[in-house]
Each structure stands twice: as structure tokens, then as C-alpha cells.
């Protein structure tokens, strides 16, 4: 089990995290850029000697007021965001680097890692000739062959396409569970990990802000009244939304609105005198453009995070500001069900 | 037949001091490249001192230090039965100290240019500091090692003032090419002075040309 209670201070940034992670746990660490996710992984790996507090792995104190176990003794293998392959070695020598220095620990074997990550064709290649996705696969393989006691992944598949990620994750998770080492994975697509049973950990500005998954496209609302046309007036963020409640609702009932992005327009300002079913202000938390131009947005509404996926929309990434207020405009009344 | 003992002494001195320089400078340059200690500027200044100091100053203090009345000189005399001053060992130490910045600085620059993340990755994968240095840092600094060795060797060949102060002018013992040229001019033996000077000039030029050609070809291969 990994137990940590660590702090670090940089100019204009404070990180303070207390968390435990059991053997076999897979933690999906997510949050906006600058939240401190990579720094937390570096602290656990032993690459931030300025960090204060305590890091304990099982009965071993990797860091406290008296001890600082250097990174090469920890076996907390970090897969860096930029791979950091050794440029003077070919792929095979990179893969074997950790294998020769695994401290006698047992771990996944060579052929298993080569097969899962489909590295057969890459083994003889020079690292400088690899694409971003290939580099990431080699870095992942190098880490697995080092027989980690704890695996720390910093966006390990950001350069791979969705199909390959979807193919790789289940196989890797199977491997992680077999060797029972805890895995902490920073991801900008945490949903991929949720589907595989990972535990969520959300960070913002150096602190853990949530340990639960964000509801995907769901929003709580309070029923105010039923209109003569059968639609219900519901309160969300002090705004009125018109919704359909097939099972009926009563004033003050709490309902869950099911937001469907194809019936929502995203606007940067409130639009007045608009024929719509309501509009609500939201604060942009993060956004990410996935494959097939699918944009995943995370918004905060009334202290709750919601995720919305928009497909085939034209948006200028540079015009989006994290923490800015935007508006969701409803072109159709959303469906609502009782939240109880 | 021209007497070439000074060439032999010079080459012996240059090879020995280059070896000694690489052994001393590599850990020193690595420490300077990686340390955050407050005394780093002090050590850097001390290392670079021979660049600006007249060789006679360094030679003068070494001569005092090598004197059999000093503890170092006495220890050497007791151990080897020979004095450090006016001996090959004496000029080897003097030459090494005087050429130190020519070796430390290119090595330090080379170590500093290594991507720190790659070294972190090596350590994180279980590589101990010496292992990281030998398996990652040193291979990535091949060009720095080559530049440092060539500069150290070439500078040792051209050594004059500090050798004259510490070693004097003893044939087959401390008389190097530069001192031989000086003696030849003093005794009006211009033919010998010409012979040795042209040889030294050609050697220095060819050494530097080789170094620049290697650097040129490597940088173009990388692109």
C-alpha cells in the first residue's frame, strides 16, 4: 500500500496531497493543466527532493523528516509524458535498460510486454526514427520490464489513437492486476479508465478536489412548476430550464437532467431574447479534442462537474479560456428523471 | 642526426598529463555540472585560474610546494628518493594543473547540455549514480570527451613557462620542445629552432583541424 502526505512549494504554486493507494489499485488522476498531477507523480517517484512530508510504501518509509530513499532504490517507475528514451540506444537497448536493473523483482516478461505493446517491429529501430506514439509504447514497455513495485503513468498514451488505446488498456490492466502493483495514471481522457474500473482522483491547484467520477452529461435540477404544454420549469444554477419529465414531477422534486449535446449550443456570452428552452451559465474546467474531432468539455455548475462531448463542432481552441464562464443553450427540452 | 630527446619528453608529458587530466577533470566537471552547492563559483574560479594567471606565478608557487623543505616535497623525496622539483613527475603535476581549465570546461559544457530528464529516467529505472554516468551521461558526452582530450593534449605540448619554472632545462628529463626552441634561439642555433618550431606548428594545426573536422562531420550527421 502506498500512503502519502506530501507538500511542495514552487513560486506561485503549493501542492498538498494526502492519499492512500492499495495494492492492485488503479487510480485515474485527472484535472486541468497546472493542477500538480505530474509533480505528484515525481514526488512519489523520488524525483523531487524539495518535497516535504511522508511517502510510505508498505512498511518502507521512502520519505519522511529523516529519510529520503533515492529514486533508483524505490522501484516506483514513472513513464514520463515525453517518453525520455535514451537517444544513444536503439529500441531494444532502451527496453533492456530497466530489465537489467530490476533489483531482482519479478515482473512481466520480455515476450509478454513485446506482444501486448506490439513492439516486434520496433525492436531493431533507432529511437530517433520513432513517431510519438511509438516512443510512448517503447517507454511503457521499458517501464514494465523494469518490474515496477508501483507504476506511475503520466499521460502514457496521449499520442496513440483511440482505437489503439481501447485495445491496449484492457490488456495492460490485466497485466497490472496479475502483478498487483498499484498504478497511478494521469490522463486527459479519464473516462477510458473509468470504464476499466479505475478509481478517480481529481486535482486542482495542487489539491485533491474530488474522489468521485464526474457525472457524464447529467445535471441535478429542482422542479418549480408544470406548464400547460406539459413541460416542467426546473431550476438549475438559478436559471429556468424547460424539461420533459415522462414520469411526472412535483414542485421541489429533485430531478436529474440528461443533457444531450446535439441539442445544446455552446456560447461564450449570454444570448438575450432567444427562442430556446433555457440557458445556464457554466464554468469551463477543461477541454480536450479527441479523435474524430470529438470535443470533451468539463464544466462546473453549482459546485458539480459535468462532462459533455460535442461532435463535429467548429471551435477555435485558442478562444477557450479555462475558468471562464460560458453558456449552455438548450434547443430541445432535456429529459429528466427523479433523482431519488 | 638531429637530437630528439625533447620531442620524446614532450610526447611522454603530453600523453601522461592528458591521462591524468581526464581522470581528475571528469569527476570535477561532472560535479560542477550537477551541483547546486554554493561553493560552485569558487571552485569554477579556481579551476579557470590558469587561463589568466601568468605561468610563472603558478610555477613559482609549485616550486615552493615541491621544495624538499615543504611537507609535500619532503614526503615525495622520502617515498621516491627523488625531488619533485626539476623532475618529470614535477612537470607532469605542473602541466596537469596548468591545462586543467582546457579539459574541465569542455567537459562541464558537455555534461550540462545533457537532457536532465534522460538522466532522471535512468535513475528512476534503477540505475545508480555511477551506472547512470557510465551508461548514459558518458556516451552522450563523447564529443565533449574528445574535445577535452585533444585540447588537453595540445595544450600540454605547448607548455613553456610553468615547465621552465618547475622543471628547469634538463635534457632528457625536463627539457620539452618549447624549452628546446628557447635554448636553440639563445645559442643562435636557428636551424634547430626552425625545425622544432615548424614541427610544433604543424602538429598544433593538424590537431585542431582534426578536432574541428570531427565536430563538423558529427553535427552534420545529426541533422
Amino acid at each position: 500500500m502506498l500512503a502519502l502526505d506530501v507538500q511542495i512549494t514552487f513560486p506561485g504554486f503549493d501542492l498538498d496531497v494526502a492519499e492512500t493507494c492499495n495494492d492492485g489499485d488503479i487510480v485515474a488522476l485527472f484535472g486541468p493543466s497546472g493542477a500538480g498531477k505530474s509533480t505528484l507523480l515525481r514526488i512519489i517517484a523520488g524525483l523531487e527532493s524539495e518535497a516535504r512530508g511522508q511517502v510510505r510504501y508498505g512498511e518502507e518509509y521512502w520519505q519522511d523528516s529523516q529519510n529520503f530513499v533515492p529514486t533508483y532504490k524505490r522501484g516506483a517507475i514513472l513513464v514520463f509524458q515525453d517518453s525520455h528514451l535514451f537517444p544513444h540506444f536503439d529500441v531494444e537497448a532502451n527496453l533492456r535498460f530497466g530489465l537489467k536493473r530490476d533489483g531482482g523483482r519479478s515482473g512481466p516478461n520480455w515476450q509478454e510486454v513485446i506482444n501486448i505493446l506490439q513492439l516486434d517491429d520496433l525492436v531493431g529501430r533507432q529511437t530517433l526514427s520513432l513517431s510519438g506514439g511509438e516512443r510512448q509504447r517503447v517507454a511503457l514497455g521499458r517501464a514494465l520490464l523494469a518490474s515496477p513495485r508501483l507504476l506511475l503513468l503520466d499521460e502514457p498514451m496521449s499520442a496513440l489513437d483511440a482505437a489503439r488505446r481501447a485495445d491496449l488498456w484492457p490488456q495492460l490492466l490485466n497485466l497490472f492486476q496479475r502483478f498487483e502493483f498499484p498504478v497511478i495514471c494521469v490522463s486527459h481522457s479519464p473516462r477510458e479508465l473509468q470504464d476499466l474500473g479505475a478509481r478517480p482522483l481529481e486535482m486542482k491547484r495542487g489539491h485533491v478536489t474530488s474522489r468521485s467520477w464526474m457525472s457524464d452529461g447529467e445535471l441535478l435540477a429542482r422542479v418549480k412548476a408544470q406548464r400547460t404544454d406539459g413541460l416542467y420549469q426546473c431550476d438549475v444554477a438559478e436559471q429556468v430550464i424547460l424539461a420533459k419529465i415522462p414520469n411526472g414531477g412535483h414542485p421541489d422534486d429533485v430531478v436529474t437532467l440528461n443533457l444531450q449535446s446535439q441539442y445544446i449550443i455552446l456560447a461564450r456570452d449570454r444570448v438575450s431574447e432567444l427562442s430556446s428552452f433555457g440557458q445556464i451559465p457554466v464554468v469551463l474546467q477543461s477541454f480536450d479534442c479527441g479523435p474524430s474531432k470529438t470535443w470533451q468539455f468539463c464544466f462546473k455548475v453549482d459546485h458539480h462537474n459535468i462532462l459533455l462531448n460535442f461532435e463535429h463542432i467548429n471551435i477555435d481552441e485558442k478562444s477557450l479560456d479555462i475558468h471562464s464562464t460560458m453558456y449552455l443553450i438548450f434547443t430541445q427540452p432535456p429529459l429528466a428523471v427523479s433523482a431519488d | 642526426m638531429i637530437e630528439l630527446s625533447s620531442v620524446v619528453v614532450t610526447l611522454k608529458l603530453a600523453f601522461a598529463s592528458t591521462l591524468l587530466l581526464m581522470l581528475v577533470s571528469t569527476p570535477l566537471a561532472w560535479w560542477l555540472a550537477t551541483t547546486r552547492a554554493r561553493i560552485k563559483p569558487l571552485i569554477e574560479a579556481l579551476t579557470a585560474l590558469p587561463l589568466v594567471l601568468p605561468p610563472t606565478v603558478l610555477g613559482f608557487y609549485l616550486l615552493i610546494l615541491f621544495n624538499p623543505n615543504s611537507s609535500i616535497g619532503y614526503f615525495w623525496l622520502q617515498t621516491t628518493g627523488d625531488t619533485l622539483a626539476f623532475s618529470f613527475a614535477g612537470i607532469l603535476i605542473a602541466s596537469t594543473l596548468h591545462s586543467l581549465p582546457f579539459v574541465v570546461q569542455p567537459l562541464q559544457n558537455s555534461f550540462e547540455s545533457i537532457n536532465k530528464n534522460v538522466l532522471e529516467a535512468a535513475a528512476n529505472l534503477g540505475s545508480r549514480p555511477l551506472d547512470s554516468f557510465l551508461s548514459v551521461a558518458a556516451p552522450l558526452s563523447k564529443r565533449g570527451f574528445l574535445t577535452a582530450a585533444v585540447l588537453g593534449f595540445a595544450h600540454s605540448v605547448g607548455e613553456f613557462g610553468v615547465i621552465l619554472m618547475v622543471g628547469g632545462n634538463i635534457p632528457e628529463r625536463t627539457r620539452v620542445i618549447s624549452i628546446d626552441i628557447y635554448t636553440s634561439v639563445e645559442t643562435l642555433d636557428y636551424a634547430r629552432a626552425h625545425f622544432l618550431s615548424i614541427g610544433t606548428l604543424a602538429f598544433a594545426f593538424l590537431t585542431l583541424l582534426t578536432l574541428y573536422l570531427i565536430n563538423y562531420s558529427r553535427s552534420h550527421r545529426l541533422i
Side-chain angles (χ1 to χ4, degrees):
Chain A
M1 186 184 77
L2 174 75
L4 51 124
D5 183 358
V6 289
Q7 303 82 38
I8 196 166
T9 305
F10 296 123
F13 176 79
D14 284 305
L15 179 142
D16 189 347
V17 173
E19 192 64 35
T20 56
C21 186
N22 294 318
D23 292 349
D25 256 8
I26 292 159
V27 177
L29 183 59
F30 60 94
S33 298
K37 308 181 294 291
S38 298
T39 305
L40 181 63
L41 295 193
R42 287 178 58 82
I43 291 172
I44 299 168
L47 294 170
E48 292 291 348
S49 55
E50 306 288 313
R52 307 176 302 279
Q54 193 180 81
V55 181
R56 183 166 57 83
Y57 187 79
E59 298 303 311
E60 294 174 29
Y61 283 86
W62 281 350
Q63 181 179 337
D64 59 18
S65 56
Q66 271 107 42
N67 304 304
F68 184 83
V69 175
T71 185
Y72 61 85
K73 285 186 180 169
R74 293 192 184 192
I77 309 294
L78 172 59
V79 177
F80 296 84
Q81 198 174 352
D82 297 323
S83 307
H84 301 330
L85 299 181
F86 304 120
H88 57 301
F89 289 153
D90 63 10
V91 169
E92 182 169 354
N94 265 281
L95 290 168
R96 291 199 184 277
F97 192 91
L99 192 63
K100 289 178 189 163
R101 296 162 175 84
D102 64 6
R105 297 184 295 270
S106 63
N109 68 45
W110 173 267
Q111 203 51 50
E112 191 170 25
V113 171
I114 296 285
N115 290 345
I116 289 176
L117 294 167
Q118 295 160 19
L119 295 171
D120 265 333
D121 298 337
L122 304 182
V123 165
R125 298 249 309 264
Q126 291 299 315
T127 50
L128 291 174
S129 70
L130 301 178
S131 70
E134 289 169 338
R135 295 176 71 82
Q136 286 192 327
R137 280 190 285 143
V138 174
L140 204 47
R142 185 177 68 174
L144 290 170
L145 288 167
S147 303
R149 300 173 75 191
L150 168 65
L151 192 59
L152 306 163
L153 308 173
D154 195 352
E155 297 189 46
M157 296 197 203
S158 56
L160 300 182
D161 57 59
R164 181 153 265 180
R165 292 204 301 259
D167 178 43
L168 277 181
W169 272 127
Q171 297 185 68
L172 286 172
L173 257 69
N174 186 10
L175 197 69
F176 300 159
Q177 279 157 0
R178 193 145 53 84
F179 289 96
E180 286 196 335
F181 43 73
V183 178
I184 303 178
C185 179
V186 171
S187 176
H188 278 306
S189 309
R191 288 274 139 173
E192 291 178 341
L193 296 172
Q194 182 188 15
D195 297 341
L196 298 164
R199 181 162 70 80
L201 193 66
E202 186 186 25
M203 277 184 76
K204 279 176 195 161
R205 295 186 189 135
H207 295 80
V208 172
T209 49
S210 169
R211 289 180 177 81
S212 61
W213 286 109
M214 296 176 283
S215 50
D216 191 354
E218 290 180 351
L219 195 56
L220 293 178
R222 188 172 291 278
V223 177
K224 279 184 76 178
Q226 186 177 18
R227 295 199 332 177
T228 51
D229 58 5
L231 295 177
Y232 287 82
Q233 290 182 328
C234 300
D235 259 359
V236 182
E238 297 175 1
Q239 304 295 315
V240 174
I241 300 292
L242 295 179
K244 286 180 187 167
I245 308 178
N247 298 333
H250 305 285
D252 285 334
D253 278 358
V254 176
V255 291
T256 303
L257 297 178
N258 184 11
L259 308 188
Q260 291 182 286
S261 59
Q262 66 265 40
Y263 302 129
I264 293 173
I265 293 171
L266 191 57
R268 247 187 310 158
D269 296 301
R270 175 182 285 283
V271 184
S272 58
E273 297 176 20
L274 184 74
S275 149
S276 76
F277 293 87
Q279 47 188 306
I280 53 172
V282 292
V283 177
L284 179 61
Q285 301 293 305
S286 66
F287 61 89
D288 183 33
C289 183
S292 329
K293 292 280 172 207
T294 301
W295 286 81
Q296 187 180 63
F297 288 88
C298 172
F299 300 110
K300 181 158 264 186
V301 189
D302 267 354
H303 309 295
H304 296 290
N305 285 320
I306 58 165
L307 273 179
L308 281 177
N309 292 313
F310 288 86
E311 289 179 4
H312 310 297
I313 57 167
N314 287 321
I315 202 153
D316 179 9
E317 204 172 324
K318 290 177 195 147
S319 71
L320 296 170
D321 294 322
I322 299 292
H323 304 310
S324 66
T325 300
M326 301 181 83
Y327 289 84
L328 303 181
I329 301 171
F330 293 85
T331 61
Q332 291 283 330
L335 279 176
V337 292
S338 170
D340 299 330
Chain B
M1 181 71 185
I2 295 175
E3 197 273 319
L4 289 175
S5 65
S6 65
V7 176
V8 174
V9 173
T10 304
L11 289 177
K12 218 168 86 178
L13 176 69
F15 277 113
S17 63
T18 304
L19 186 68
L20 201 56
L21 275 165
M22 297 307 285
L23 288 174
V24 172
S25 304
T26 303
L28 177 60
W30 179 250
W31 182 80
L32 287 172
T34 53
T35 188
R36 280 189 275 178
R38 286 184 181 177
I39 57 162
K40 179 185 168 180
L42 179 74
I43 305 298
E44 280 181 312
L46 281 171
T47 310
L49 212 50
L51 288 174
V52 292
L53 207 61
T56 43
V57 174
L58 180 65
F60 173 63
Y61 283 115
L62 284 176
L63 204 55
I64 291 174
L65 208 65
F66 293 169
N67 188 304
N69 294 328
S70 77
S71 53
I72 292 176
Y74 179 76
F75 172 77
W76 188 266
L77 185 64
Q78 292 300 311
T79 314
T80 66
D82 193 8
T83 59
L84 256 181
F86 308 108
S87 71
F88 182 78
I91 62 171
L92 177 60
I93 294 171
S95 172
T96 302
L97 285 175
H98 196 224
S99 297
L100 204 60
F102 292 89
V103 178
V104 170
Q105 288 183 357
L107 276 179
Q108 186 183 341
N109 291 341
S110 184
F111 292 151
E112 282 172 346
S113 69
I114 298 173
N115 184 349
K116 296 289 174 290
N117 298 323
V118 173
L119 294 171
E120 283 188 345
N124 181 248
L125 286 163
S127 179
R128 288 167 177 273
L130 182 62
D131 178 24
S132 286
F133 177 79
L134 293 175
S135 56
V136 179
L140 289 175
S141 306
K142 267 192 287 191
R143 198 195 285 188
F145 276 107
L146 183 72
T147 307
V150 171
L151 284 179
F153 187 83
H155 192 252
S156 302
V157 168
E159 214 73 78
F160 176 70
V162 73
I163 304 285
L164 191 65
M165 290 289 284
V166 173
N169 185 3
I170 307 168
E172 296 180 13
R173 191 170 154 97
T174 62
R175 182 186 283 179
V176 291
I177 293 174
S178 55
I179 295 173
D180 200 354
I181 294 169
Y182 176 75
T183 313
S184 302
V185 172
E186 287 283 288
T187 55
L188 303 179
D189 185 356
Y190 286 177
R192 183 174 175 78
H194 264 308
F195 172 77
L196 292 170
S197 297
I198 283 183
T200 309
L201 183 71
F203 166 78
F205 177 71
L206 286 174
T207 306
L208 291 176
L209 183 65
T210 310
L211 178 66
Y212 285 118
L213 279 175
I214 290 169
N215 279 344
Y216 180 82
S217 64
R218 284 196 175 182
S219 60
H220 281 68
R221 200 191 313 155
L222 280 177
I223 292 164

